[in-house]
Amino acid sequence: MRIFLEQMINGLTIGSFYALIALGYSMVYGVMKLINFAHGDLFALGSYLGFSLLVWGSAYVTSHVGLAGGMIAAMLIAAIGIGMAGIIVERIAYRPIYPAGRLPAVVSALGVSIFLQNAIMVAWGPRYQAYPVNVVPTVRFEIGGIHITLLQIIILILSFILLALLYYIIQKTTFGAAIRASALDRDTAALMGININTVIFFIFALGPALGGTAGVMVGMYYRQISFTMGWNYGLKAFTATILGGIGNIPGAMVGGLLLGIFEMLGSAYISTAYKDVFVFLILILVLIFRPRGLLGEKVAEKV
Amino acid sequence: MTVLLKVEDLHIFYDSIEALKGISLEVNEGEIVTVLGANGAGKSTLLRAISGLLPIHSGTIQLRGEGLNNVQAYEIVIKGISHAPEGRKVFSTLTVEENLNLGAYIRRKDIKAVSEAKERVFSLFPILKSRRSQLSGTLSGGEQQMLTMGRGLMSTPRILLLDEPSLGLAPLLVKQIFQIIREINDQGISILLVEQNARKALSIADRGYVLETGNITISGLASDLKSNQKVQEAYLGGAALKKRK
Ligand SMILES: Nc1ncnc2c1ncn2[C@@H]1O[C@H](COP(=O)(O)OP(=O)(O)O)[C@@H](O)[C@H]1O
Ligand SMILES: [Mg+2]
């Protein structure tokens, strides 16, 4: 039981990474019907951005705003920087080729992904980089025999706040309704006075911003980052998106958290070596038995 | 009488197919004007062009003398034109209330104005009030039509474009919808009504145009159109025949 609960906590922690990244895939797919393959690499770029800020800026930041301030600054700057990167990617790599159809855009997304991955390698080197150890003090709490670290608590709370905020924006505000409407029917959305370019700007800023923040969290959690991390996390988060129902915002959140839990339980009770196999088995099963995902609407019901 | 909406020599193409071949029409302030025509005549094309959803090949569209040719679709509603499209086009996974709120998207920051507009819509369509938190995709066809019209009114337009509001509705509902169109018009909103149900449309319209494969062939006062022999044969007789079947 103890192992089970601890693995649940671990699962929720990495699940919240997946959820934060998955939102970017889901929002972009919802409105653009485009799988933004560059999204995982934007996440990785965020992780590296946070790394540089914490390493090079640590002396300055720590003396001025303390450790917690340094962490928050790193996440904030990564969020803003990656949000801007997302907009630039859309402008340069996607917008010019929308008229050519969906497939060219997907190919372009793959191109951006490869470009970003190599850019990171050139800028930061091909070797693993290690996040500084002391960003969050290594404090471990024991509650009823279950261990949880301070870092985990911070990650869980922060992720929860971000997920709740995004849920609120998308599901409860009129602008959020405008985003969902644009995803359903762009022409009719325009008749309402919704400027699709505003919507596109927003989703390409916000999705990557959340991904960049997750990048910093992953760096702090695992300490080690590599320029290929975008593929691995991107694929898992994409799986989470499919699991929850692509295009569906609550679905991406639920899918991410569930996937994290599956992965951790799988590695505890079945085999660590097979945990990725386990994840992709889920992807395959979902695609076969419930292709619209857990919360996804039935697609193509209307003519 | 002041001209509100003026379309002049409008040509619209889909690739190389010319869907509108130089049509001109006018809607005056306070009028109900109907455009009649068979399936494929170009009625929806006309409304979509006015709303900025289709590129204009040549010709002009003006609202109170202001040219709309280069105005983007999302800005047209700000000018005072609202469009309730053919086939309802409700945002099916959004609630009734969210649909209505989007109708007032251009004024979303003015919470008071939005809730006042909503109350006006609810008094025209009481059923929408009781269904306000229901997903609009689960409404019946008639209710969806009411939502589409109510959503169109949320921006308090000068003119409402209605694309076949009676399509696929039971006769009793059709009667109700046409009654409400009249009520909307009584509130001072001009109406451009596209219909295949010529009898009903002419019964509430001031004037009408007949559109045939991209050309306007007949136009005039609704009462004159009703007694026009060609209209009777092609649209009124046809409608009666269809009804009997
Ligand atoms: N998206 C489109 N692409 C190509 N042709 C179209 C398109 N929409 C309509 N058309 C053609 O334009 C003509 C007018 O269509 P439409 O305006 O929808 O007619 P109506 O609303 O009167 O039934 C038809 O011949 C139709 O086939
Ligand atoms: Mg039509």
Side-chain angles (χ1 to χ4, degrees), chain A residues 171-172 174-175 177-178 180-182 184-185 187-196 297 302, chain B residues 48 51 53 73-75 77 83 85 89-94 98-99 101-103 105-106 108 151:
Chain A
Q171 304 293 134
K172 300 292 170 197
T174 302
F175 184 64
R180 285 178 286 141
S182 304
L184 288 170
D185 180 345
D187 276 357
T188 307
L191 295 181
M192 305 296 112
I194 298 165
N195 182 352
I196 188 68
E297 289 98 21
K302 272 195 271 178
Chain B
R48 291 170 60 78
S51 293
L53 292 175
Y74 75 92
E75 293 168 323
V77 60
H83 182 166
K89 299 287 171 61
V90 297
F91 299 114
S92 57
T93 56
L94 274 60
E98 284 173 330
N99 270 273
N101 287 339
L102 286 179
Y105 180 78
I106 55 171
R108 64 189 178 284
R151 187 180 63 186

mmCIF file of all heavy atoms in Angstrom, chain A residues 171-172 174-175 177-178 180-182 184-185 187-196 297 302, chain B residues 48 51 53 73-75 77 83 85 89-94 98-99 101-103 105-106 108 151:
data_model
loop_
_atom_site.group_PDB
_atom_site.id
_atom_site.type_symbol
_atom_site.label_atom_id
_atom_site.label_comp_id
_atom_site.label_asym_id
_atom_site.label_seq_id
_atom_site.Cartn_x
_atom_site.Cartn_y
_atom_site.Cartn_z
ATOM 1 N N GLN A 171 -12.720 27.192 -20.371
ATOM 2 C CA GLN A 171 -14.084 26.684 -20.188
ATOM 3 C C GLN A 171 -15.058 27.708 -19.623
ATOM 4 O O GLN A 171 -16.266 27.527 -19.737
ATOM 5 C CB GLN A 171 -14.075 25.452 -19.260
ATOM 6 C CG GLN A 171 -13.179 24.304 -19.713
ATOM 7 C CD GLN A 171 -13.638 23.627 -20.984
ATOM 8 O OE1 GLN A 171 -12.854 23.372 -21.884
ATOM 9 N NE2 GLN A 171 -14.931 23.323 -21.076
ATOM 10 N N LYS A 172 -14.544 28.756 -18.999
ATOM 11 C CA LYS A 172 -15.463 29.640 -18.273
ATOM 12 C C LYS A 172 -15.537 31.074 -18.794
ATOM 13 O O LYS A 172 -16.441 31.797 -18.418
ATOM 14 C CB LYS A 172 -15.081 29.679 -16.775
ATOM 15 C CG LYS A 172 -15.133 28.316 -16.078
ATOM 16 C CD LYS A 172 -16.549 27.803 -15.962
ATOM 17 C CE LYS A 172 -16.547 26.353 -15.508
ATOM 18 N NZ LYS A 172 -17.842 25.703 -15.761
ATOM 19 N N THR A 174 -15.657 34.081 -21.901
ATOM 20 C CA THR A 174 -16.176 34.224 -23.262
ATOM 21 C C THR A 174 -15.051 34.076 -24.285
ATOM 22 O O THR A 174 -15.256 33.528 -25.365
ATOM 23 C CB THR A 174 -16.896 35.575 -23.427
ATOM 24 O OG1 THR A 174 -17.953 35.634 -22.471
ATOM 25 C CG2 THR A 174 -17.488 35.728 -24.807
ATOM 26 N N PHE A 175 -13.851 34.564 -23.922
ATOM 27 C CA PHE A 175 -12.738 34.369 -24.861
ATOM 28 C C PHE A 175 -12.436 32.875 -25.030
ATOM 29 O O PHE A 175 -12.149 32.403 -26.135
ATOM 30 C CB PHE A 175 -11.487 35.114 -24.387
ATOM 31 C CG PHE A 175 -10.353 35.016 -25.367
ATOM 32 C CD1 PHE A 175 -10.461 35.579 -26.631
ATOM 33 C CD2 PHE A 175 -9.192 34.322 -25.045
ATOM 34 C CE1 PHE A 175 -9.429 35.471 -27.553
ATOM 35 C CE2 PHE A 175 -8.152 34.211 -25.959
ATOM 36 C CZ PHE A 175 -8.267 34.783 -27.215
ATOM 37 N N ALA A 177 -14.631 30.506 -24.751
ATOM 38 C CA ALA A 177 -15.703 30.000 -25.613
ATOM 39 C C ALA A 177 -15.385 30.329 -27.072
ATOM 40 O O ALA A 177 -15.661 29.538 -27.976
ATOM 41 C CB ALA A 177 -17.043 30.601 -25.198
ATOM 42 N N ALA A 178 -14.776 31.500 -27.286
ATOM 43 C CA ALA A 178 -14.411 31.888 -28.656
ATOM 44 C C ALA A 178 -13.353 30.930 -29.218
ATOM 45 O O ALA A 178 -13.398 30.574 -30.399
ATOM 46 C CB ALA A 178 -13.893 33.323 -28.665
ATOM 47 N N ARG A 180 -12.971 27.764 -28.316
ATOM 48 C CA ARG A 180 -13.652 26.492 -28.604
ATOM 49 C C ARG A 180 -14.531 26.614 -29.851
ATOM 50 O O ARG A 180 -14.620 25.692 -30.661
ATOM 51 C CB ARG A 180 -14.475 26.053 -27.389
ATOM 52 C CG ARG A 180 -13.594 25.502 -26.265
ATOM 53 C CD ARG A 180 -14.411 25.117 -25.051
ATOM 54 N NE ARG A 180 -14.875 26.291 -24.330
ATOM 55 C CZ ARG A 180 -16.078 26.408 -23.777
ATOM 56 N NH1 ARG A 180 -16.952 25.427 -23.861
ATOM 57 N NH2 ARG A 180 -16.404 27.511 -23.138
ATOM 58 N N ALA A 181 -15.170 27.767 -30.010
ATOM 59 C CA ALA A 181 -16.004 27.979 -31.192
ATOM 60 C C ALA A 181 -15.154 27.983 -32.463
ATOM 61 O O ALA A 181 -15.528 27.398 -33.475
ATOM 62 C CB ALA A 181 -16.774 29.297 -31.059
ATOM 63 N N SER A 182 -13.987 28.617 -32.398
ATOM 64 C CA SER A 182 -13.104 28.649 -33.570
ATOM 65 C C SER A 182 -12.650 27.242 -33.935
ATOM 66 O O SER A 182 -12.441 26.943 -35.113
ATOM 67 C CB SER A 182 -11.875 29.508 -33.292
ATOM 68 O OG SER A 182 -12.250 30.793 -32.895
ATOM 69 N N LEU A 184 -14.458 24.591 -33.555
ATOM 70 C CA LEU A 184 -15.589 23.861 -34.125
ATOM 71 C C LEU A 184 -15.902 24.330 -35.543
ATOM 72 O O LEU A 184 -16.188 23.519 -36.425
ATOM 73 C CB LEU A 184 -16.835 24.074 -33.258
ATOM 74 C CG LEU A 184 -16.861 23.371 -31.905
ATOM 75 C CD1 LEU A 184 -18.034 23.880 -31.087
ATOM 76 C CD2 LEU A 184 -16.974 21.865 -32.094
ATOM 77 N N ASP A 185 -15.909 25.651 -35.759
ATOM 78 C CA ASP A 185 -16.415 26.183 -37.026
ATOM 79 C C ASP A 185 -15.889 27.602 -37.208
ATOM 80 O O ASP A 185 -16.434 28.560 -36.669
ATOM 81 C CB ASP A 185 -17.955 26.167 -36.982
ATOM 82 C CG ASP A 185 -18.585 26.695 -38.263
ATOM 83 O OD1 ASP A 185 -17.884 27.333 -39.070
ATOM 84 O OD2 ASP A 185 -19.795 26.479 -38.432
ATOM 85 N N ASP A 187 -15.711 29.688 -39.783
ATOM 86 C CA ASP A 187 -16.516 30.688 -40.483
ATOM 87 C C ASP A 187 -17.581 31.267 -39.565
ATOM 88 O O ASP A 187 -17.758 32.487 -39.495
ATOM 89 C CB ASP A 187 -17.189 30.067 -41.715
ATOM 90 C CG ASP A 187 -16.256 30.064 -42.922
ATOM 91 O OD1 ASP A 187 -15.132 30.590 -42.799
ATOM 92 O OD2 ASP A 187 -16.656 29.544 -43.978
ATOM 93 N N THR A 188 -18.298 30.382 -38.887
ATOM 94 C CA THR A 188 -19.354 30.872 -38.011
ATOM 95 C C THR A 188 -18.756 31.676 -36.860
ATOM 96 O O THR A 188 -19.337 32.667 -36.416
ATOM 97 C CB THR A 188 -20.218 29.705 -37.507
ATOM 98 O OG1 THR A 188 -20.674 28.955 -38.634
ATOM 99 C CG2 THR A 188 -21.410 30.190 -36.726
ATOM 100 N N ALA A 189 -17.573 31.277 -36.406
ATOM 101 C CA ALA A 189 -16.896 32.056 -35.357
ATOM 102 C C ALA A 189 -16.602 33.466 -35.867
ATOM 103 O O ALA A 189 -16.777 34.447 -35.147
ATOM 104 C CB ALA A 189 -15.615 31.357 -34.923
ATOM 105 N N ALA A 190 -16.200 33.574 -37.135
ATOM 106 C CA ALA A 190 -15.926 34.899 -37.699
ATOM 107 C C ALA A 190 -17.197 35.740 -37.732
ATOM 108 O O ALA A 190 -17.160 36.951 -37.502
ATOM 109 C CB ALA A 190 -15.342 34.770 -39.107
ATOM 110 N N LEU A 191 -18.337 35.090 -37.994
ATOM 111 C CA LEU A 191 -19.609 35.827 -38.004
ATOM 112 C C LEU A 191 -19.921 36.434 -36.634
ATOM 113 O O LEU A 191 -20.671 37.390 -36.530
ATOM 114 C CB LEU A 191 -20.761 34.907 -38.417
ATOM 115 C CG LEU A 191 -20.749 34.353 -39.845
ATOM 116 C CD1 LEU A 191 -21.961 33.480 -40.085
ATOM 117 C CD2 LEU A 191 -20.712 35.492 -40.859
ATOM 118 N N MET A 192 -19.339 35.835 -35.582
ATOM 119 C CA MET A 192 -19.547 36.366 -34.236
ATOM 120 C C MET A 192 -18.621 37.551 -33.954
ATOM 121 O O MET A 192 -18.678 38.160 -32.897
ATOM 122 C CB MET A 192 -19.265 35.287 -33.181
ATOM 123 C CG MET A 192 -20.044 33.997 -33.323
ATOM 124 S SD MET A 192 -21.801 34.239 -33.111
ATOM 125 C CE MET A 192 -22.355 33.896 -34.766
ATOM 126 N N GLY A 193 -17.701 37.818 -34.871
ATOM 127 C CA GLY A 193 -16.735 38.887 -34.644
ATOM 128 C C GLY A 193 -15.432 38.387 -34.030
ATOM 129 O O GLY A 193 -14.629 39.182 -33.548
ATOM 130 N N ILE A 194 -15.241 37.067 -34.060
ATOM 131 C CA ILE A 194 -14.012 36.507 -33.494
ATOM 132 C C ILE A 194 -12.907 36.566 -34.543
ATOM 133 O O ILE A 194 -13.060 36.024 -35.641
ATOM 134 C CB ILE A 194 -14.246 35.045 -33.048
ATOM 135 C CG1 ILE A 194 -15.316 34.993 -31.954
ATOM 136 C CG2 ILE A 194 -12.940 34.412 -32.576
ATOM 137 C CD1 ILE A 194 -15.870 33.609 -31.696
ATOM 138 N N ASN A 195 -11.814 37.227 -34.188
ATOM 139 C CA ASN A 195 -10.669 37.305 -35.086
ATOM 140 C C ASN A 195 -9.800 36.062 -34.895
ATOM 141 O O ASN A 195 -9.174 35.884 -33.853
ATOM 142 C CB ASN A 195 -9.864 38.571 -34.771
ATOM 143 C CG ASN A 195 -8.685 38.737 -35.703
ATOM 144 O OD1 ASN A 195 -8.364 37.845 -36.484
ATOM 145 N ND2 ASN A 195 -8.034 39.885 -35.619
ATOM 146 N N ILE A 196 -9.770 35.224 -35.912
ATOM 147 C CA ILE A 196 -9.069 33.941 -35.778
ATOM 148 C C ILE A 196 -7.588 34.163 -35.484
ATOM 149 O O ILE A 196 -6.953 33.368 -34.791
ATOM 150 C CB ILE A 196 -9.293 33.058 -37.029
ATOM 151 C CG1 ILE A 196 -8.722 31.649 -36.823
ATOM 152 C CG2 ILE A 196 -8.672 33.669 -38.269
ATOM 153 C CD1 ILE A 196 -9.445 30.824 -35.804
ATOM 154 N N GLU A 297 -15.168 14.251 -27.931
ATOM 155 C CA GLU A 297 -16.479 14.101 -28.534
ATOM 156 C C GLU A 297 -16.358 13.193 -29.749
ATOM 157 O O GLU A 297 -15.296 13.036 -30.319
ATOM 158 C CB GLU A 297 -17.024 15.456 -28.997
ATOM 159 C CG GLU A 297 -17.417 16.352 -27.862
ATOM 160 C CD GLU A 297 -16.319 17.365 -27.545
ATOM 161 O OE1 GLU A 297 -15.481 17.608 -28.427
ATOM 162 O OE2 GLU A 297 -16.303 17.868 -26.416
ATOM 163 N N LYS A 302 -21.361 15.250 -37.808
ATOM 164 C CA LYS A 302 -22.075 16.151 -38.711
ATOM 165 C C LYS A 302 -21.548 15.979 -40.125
ATOM 166 O O LYS A 302 -20.410 15.617 -40.340
ATOM 167 C CB LYS A 302 -21.887 17.599 -38.267
ATOM 168 C CG LYS A 302 -22.945 18.017 -37.263
ATOM 169 C CD LYS A 302 -22.973 19.520 -37.105
ATOM 170 C CE LYS A 302 -22.008 19.962 -36.037
ATOM 171 N NZ LYS A 302 -21.968 21.393 -35.874
ATOM 172 N N ARG B 48 -23.173 35.020 -47.678
ATOM 173 C CA ARG B 48 -21.789 34.810 -47.231
ATOM 174 C C ARG B 48 -20.862 35.899 -47.790
ATOM 175 O O ARG B 48 -19.898 36.289 -47.129
ATOM 176 C CB ARG B 48 -21.303 33.414 -47.633
ATOM 177 C CG ARG B 48 -22.024 32.295 -46.849
ATOM 178 C CD ARG B 48 -21.738 30.905 -47.407
ATOM 179 N NE ARG B 48 -20.323 30.576 -47.365
ATOM 180 C CZ ARG B 48 -19.674 30.191 -46.274
ATOM 181 N NH1 ARG B 48 -20.333 30.085 -45.136
ATOM 182 N NH2 ARG B 48 -18.398 29.917 -46.321
ATOM 183 N N SER B 51 -21.322 38.984 -45.684
ATOM 184 C CA SER B 51 -20.669 38.823 -44.381
ATOM 185 C C SER B 51 -19.153 38.757 -44.467
ATOM 186 O O SER B 51 -18.493 38.566 -43.447
ATOM 187 C CB SER B 51 -21.179 37.557 -43.694
ATOM 188 O OG SER B 51 -22.525 37.696 -43.366
ATOM 189 N N LEU B 53 -17.344 36.438 -45.863
ATOM 190 C CA LEU B 53 -16.776 35.083 -45.830
ATOM 191 C C LEU B 53 -16.279 34.635 -47.200
ATOM 192 O O LEU B 53 -15.569 33.647 -47.302
ATOM 193 C CB LEU B 53 -17.820 34.073 -45.311
ATOM 194 C CG LEU B 53 -18.222 34.209 -43.843
ATOM 195 C CD1 LEU B 53 -19.351 33.238 -43.506
ATOM 196 C CD2 LEU B 53 -17.028 33.953 -42.924
ATOM 197 N N ALA B 73 -14.241 39.491 -42.393
ATOM 198 C CA ALA B 73 -15.479 38.877 -41.914
ATOM 199 C C ALA B 73 -15.728 39.209 -40.437
ATOM 200 O O ALA B 73 -16.842 39.554 -40.053
ATOM 201 C CB ALA B 73 -15.429 37.360 -42.112
ATOM 202 N N TYR B 74 -14.688 39.129 -39.622
ATOM 203 C CA TYR B 74 -14.920 39.327 -38.189
ATOM 204 C C TYR B 74 -15.240 40.787 -37.840
ATOM 205 O O TYR B 74 -15.688 41.081 -36.741
ATOM 206 C CB TYR B 74 -13.736 38.807 -37.371
ATOM 207 C CG TYR B 74 -12.507 39.674 -37.398
ATOM 208 C CD1 TYR B 74 -12.306 40.650 -36.432
ATOM 209 C CD2 TYR B 74 -11.536 39.531 -38.386
ATOM 210 C CE1 TYR B 74 -11.180 41.454 -36.442
ATOM 211 C CE2 TYR B 74 -10.418 40.321 -38.406
ATOM 212 C CZ TYR B 74 -10.244 41.286 -37.437
ATOM 213 O OH TYR B 74 -9.135 42.077 -37.470
ATOM 214 N N GLU B 75 -15.005 41.692 -38.804
ATOM 215 C CA GLU B 75 -15.309 43.097 -38.548
ATOM 216 C C GLU B 75 -16.692 43.499 -39.055
ATOM 217 O O GLU B 75 -17.196 44.555 -38.713
ATOM 218 C CB GLU B 75 -14.255 43.992 -39.220
ATOM 219 C CG GLU B 75 -12.882 43.833 -38.593
ATOM 220 C CD GLU B 75 -11.803 44.494 -39.435
ATOM 221 O OE1 GLU B 75 -11.892 44.444 -40.677
ATOM 222 O OE2 GLU B 75 -10.874 45.062 -38.846
ATOM 223 N N VAL B 77 -19.577 42.252 -38.398
ATOM 224 C CA VAL B 77 -20.596 42.295 -37.339
ATOM 225 C C VAL B 77 -20.481 43.591 -36.547
ATOM 226 O O VAL B 77 -21.477 44.138 -36.072
ATOM 227 C CB VAL B 77 -20.512 41.025 -36.436
ATOM 228 C CG1 VAL B 77 -19.171 40.900 -35.779
ATOM 229 C CG2 VAL B 77 -21.624 41.029 -35.403
ATOM 230 N N HIS B 83 -25.474 37.648 -39.125
ATOM 231 C CA HIS B 83 -25.788 36.610 -40.094
ATOM 232 C C HIS B 83 -26.116 35.314 -39.348
ATOM 233 O O HIS B 83 -25.273 34.778 -38.647
ATOM 234 C CB HIS B 83 -24.555 36.435 -41.000
ATOM 235 C CG HIS B 83 -24.706 35.422 -42.098
ATOM 236 N ND1 HIS B 83 -23.825 35.344 -43.134
ATOM 237 C CD2 HIS B 83 -25.631 34.456 -42.326
ATOM 238 C CE1 HIS B 83 -24.181 34.370 -43.954
ATOM 239 N NE2 HIS B 83 -25.270 33.817 -43.473
ATOM 240 N N PRO B 85 -26.577 31.755 -40.131
ATOM 241 C CA PRO B 85 -26.297 30.967 -41.338
ATOM 242 C C PRO B 85 -27.258 29.803 -41.555
ATOM 243 O O PRO B 85 -27.987 29.393 -40.660
ATOM 244 C CB PRO B 85 -24.877 30.456 -41.099
ATOM 245 C CG PRO B 85 -24.678 30.497 -39.632
ATOM 246 C CD PRO B 85 -25.541 31.595 -39.107
ATOM 247 N N LYS B 89 -25.920 25.947 -37.647
ATOM 248 C CA LYS B 89 -24.530 26.253 -37.289
ATOM 249 C C LYS B 89 -24.388 26.744 -35.851
ATOM 250 O O LYS B 89 -23.667 27.719 -35.587
ATOM 251 C CB LYS B 89 -23.926 27.290 -38.250
ATOM 252 C CG LYS B 89 -23.882 26.843 -39.698
ATOM 253 C CD LYS B 89 -22.816 25.787 -39.925
ATOM 254 C CE LYS B 89 -22.861 25.155 -41.301
ATOM 255 N NZ LYS B 89 -22.645 26.107 -42.383
ATOM 256 N N VAL B 90 -25.069 26.080 -34.928
ATOM 257 C CA VAL B 90 -24.803 26.385 -33.519
ATOM 258 C C VAL B 90 -23.461 25.753 -33.156
ATOM 259 O O VAL B 90 -23.006 24.814 -33.821
ATOM 260 C CB VAL B 90 -25.911 25.838 -32.588
ATOM 261 C CG1 VAL B 90 -27.236 26.506 -32.897
ATOM 262 C CG2 VAL B 90 -26.029 24.323 -32.685
ATOM 263 N N PHE B 91 -22.804 26.284 -32.147
ATOM 264 C CA PHE B 91 -21.558 25.661 -31.670
ATOM 265 C C PHE B 91 -21.972 24.522 -30.745
ATOM 266 O O PHE B 91 -22.289 24.732 -29.581
ATOM 267 C CB PHE B 91 -20.683 26.694 -30.966
ATOM 268 C CG PHE B 91 -20.275 27.821 -31.859
ATOM 269 C CD1 PHE B 91 -20.719 29.115 -31.627
ATOM 270 C CD2 PHE B 91 -19.448 27.584 -32.950
ATOM 271 C CE1 PHE B 91 -20.342 30.157 -32.463
ATOM 272 C CE2 PHE B 91 -19.067 28.624 -33.798
ATOM 273 C CZ PHE B 91 -19.516 29.910 -33.550
ATOM 274 N N SER B 92 -21.989 23.305 -31.316
ATOM 275 C CA SER B 92 -22.746 22.212 -30.708
ATOM 276 C C SER B 92 -22.239 21.795 -29.329
ATOM 277 O O SER B 92 -23.029 21.393 -28.489
ATOM 278 C CB SER B 92 -22.755 21.015 -31.651
ATOM 279 O OG SER B 92 -21.429 20.638 -31.955
ATOM 280 N N THR B 93 -20.943 21.911 -29.076
ATOM 281 C CA THR B 93 -20.447 21.469 -27.766
ATOM 282 C C THR B 93 -20.367 22.625 -26.767
ATOM 283 O O THR B 93 -19.808 22.467 -25.688
ATOM 284 C CB THR B 93 -19.071 20.786 -27.887
ATOM 285 O OG1 THR B 93 -18.172 21.689 -28.538
ATOM 286 C CG2 THR B 93 -19.159 19.508 -28.691
ATOM 287 N N LEU B 94 -20.924 23.746 -27.155
ATOM 288 C CA LEU B 94 -21.036 24.865 -26.220
ATOM 289 C C LEU B 94 -22.485 24.949 -25.748
ATOM 290 O O LEU B 94 -23.406 24.527 -26.456
ATOM 291 C CB LEU B 94 -20.645 26.190 -26.895
ATOM 292 C CG LEU B 94 -19.160 26.562 -26.904
ATOM 293 C CD1 LEU B 94 -18.334 25.522 -27.630
ATOM 294 C CD2 LEU B 94 -18.954 27.928 -27.519
ATOM 295 N N GLU B 98 -23.491 30.006 -23.741
ATOM 296 C CA GLU B 98 -22.194 30.341 -24.344
ATOM 297 C C GLU B 98 -22.376 30.774 -25.800
ATOM 298 O O GLU B 98 -21.722 31.711 -26.270
ATOM 299 C CB GLU B 98 -21.238 29.144 -24.262
ATOM 300 C CG GLU B 98 -20.663 28.925 -22.876
ATOM 301 C CD GLU B 98 -19.846 27.640 -22.751
ATOM 302 O OE1 GLU B 98 -20.139 26.654 -23.468
ATOM 303 O OE2 GLU B 98 -18.920 27.615 -21.936
ATOM 304 N N ASN B 99 -23.269 30.090 -26.514
ATOM 305 C CA ASN B 99 -23.566 30.498 -27.885
ATOM 306 C C ASN B 99 -24.068 31.937 -27.922
ATOM 307 O O ASN B 99 -23.636 32.736 -28.755
ATOM 308 C CB ASN B 99 -24.617 29.568 -28.495
ATOM 309 C CG ASN B 99 -24.007 28.369 -29.202
ATOM 310 O OD1 ASN B 99 -23.672 28.433 -30.375
ATOM 311 N ND2 ASN B 99 -23.832 27.268 -28.486
ATOM 312 N N ASN B 101 -23.607 34.263 -25.645
ATOM 313 C CA ASN B 101 -22.524 35.178 -25.273
ATOM 314 C C ASN B 101 -21.611 35.467 -26.459
ATOM 315 O O ASN B 101 -21.141 36.588 -26.634
ATOM 316 C CB ASN B 101 -21.701 34.585 -24.133
ATOM 317 C CG ASN B 101 -22.454 34.617 -22.800
ATOM 318 O OD1 ASN B 101 -23.391 35.397 -22.636
ATOM 319 N ND2 ASN B 101 -22.056 33.773 -21.873
ATOM 320 N N LEU B 102 -21.366 34.440 -27.275
ATOM 321 C CA LEU B 102 -20.503 34.664 -28.439
ATOM 322 C C LEU B 102 -21.182 35.576 -29.453
ATOM 323 O O LEU B 102 -20.518 36.314 -30.172
ATOM 324 C CB LEU B 102 -20.121 33.333 -29.085
ATOM 325 C CG LEU B 102 -19.089 32.528 -28.294
ATOM 326 C CD1 LEU B 102 -18.794 31.213 -29.001
ATOM 327 C CD2 LEU B 102 -17.802 33.318 -28.114
ATOM 328 N N GLY B 103 -22.506 35.532 -29.486
ATOM 329 C CA GLY B 103 -23.231 36.454 -30.354
ATOM 330 C C GLY B 103 -22.923 37.901 -29.997
ATOM 331 O O GLY B 103 -22.932 38.784 -30.847
ATOM 332 N N TYR B 105 -20.019 38.778 -28.717
ATOM 333 C CA TYR B 105 -18.565 38.755 -28.489
ATOM 334 C C TYR B 105 -17.937 40.131 -28.658
ATOM 335 O O TYR B 105 -17.035 40.521 -27.911
ATOM 336 C CB TYR B 105 -17.926 37.764 -29.466
ATOM 337 C CG TYR B 105 -16.428 37.636 -29.334
ATOM 338 C CD1 TYR B 105 -15.875 36.884 -28.306
ATOM 339 C CD2 TYR B 105 -15.570 38.271 -30.223
ATOM 340 C CE1 TYR B 105 -14.504 36.764 -28.160
ATOM 341 C CE2 TYR B 105 -14.196 38.156 -30.092
ATOM 342 C CZ TYR B 105 -13.665 37.393 -29.061
ATOM 343 O OH TYR B 105 -12.318 37.286 -28.929
ATOM 344 N N ILE B 106 -18.430 40.893 -29.643
ATOM 345 C CA ILE B 106 -17.820 42.205 -29.910
ATOM 346 C C ILE B 106 -18.044 43.182 -28.761
ATOM 347 O O ILE B 106 -17.389 44.209 -28.703
ATOM 348 C CB ILE B 106 -18.350 42.825 -31.226
ATOM 349 C CG1 ILE B 106 -19.877 42.891 -31.197
ATOM 350 C CG2 ILE B 106 -17.883 42.025 -32.425
ATOM 351 C CD1 ILE B 106 -20.470 43.688 -32.351
ATOM 352 N N ARG B 108 -18.187 41.979 -25.436
ATOM 353 C CA ARG B 108 -18.135 41.075 -24.290
ATOM 354 C C ARG B 108 -17.712 41.762 -22.996
ATOM 355 O O ARG B 108 -18.025 41.291 -21.915
ATOM 356 C CB ARG B 108 -17.208 39.895 -24.588
ATOM 357 C CG ARG B 108 -15.750 40.263 -24.813
ATOM 358 C CD ARG B 108 -14.990 39.044 -25.308
ATOM 359 N NE ARG B 108 -13.596 39.335 -25.593
ATOM 360 C CZ ARG B 108 -13.156 39.976 -26.668
ATOM 361 N NH1 ARG B 108 -14.030 40.419 -27.571
ATOM 362 N NH2 ARG B 108 -11.871 40.186 -26.852
ATOM 363 N N ARG B 151 -28.780 34.254 -31.233
ATOM 364 C CA ARG B 151 -27.348 34.562 -31.216
ATOM 365 C C ARG B 151 -27.054 35.730 -32.163
ATOM 366 O O ARG B 151 -26.273 36.629 -31.841
ATOM 367 C CB ARG B 151 -26.582 33.308 -31.654
ATOM 368 C CG ARG B 151 -25.083 33.403 -31.524
ATOM 369 C CD ARG B 151 -24.433 32.113 -31.987
ATOM 370 N NE ARG B 151 -24.687 31.863 -33.408
ATOM 371 C CZ ARG B 151 -24.331 30.755 -34.050
ATOM 372 N NH1 ARG B 151 -23.715 29.777 -33.400
ATOM 373 N NH2 ARG B 151 -24.587 30.605 -35.333
#
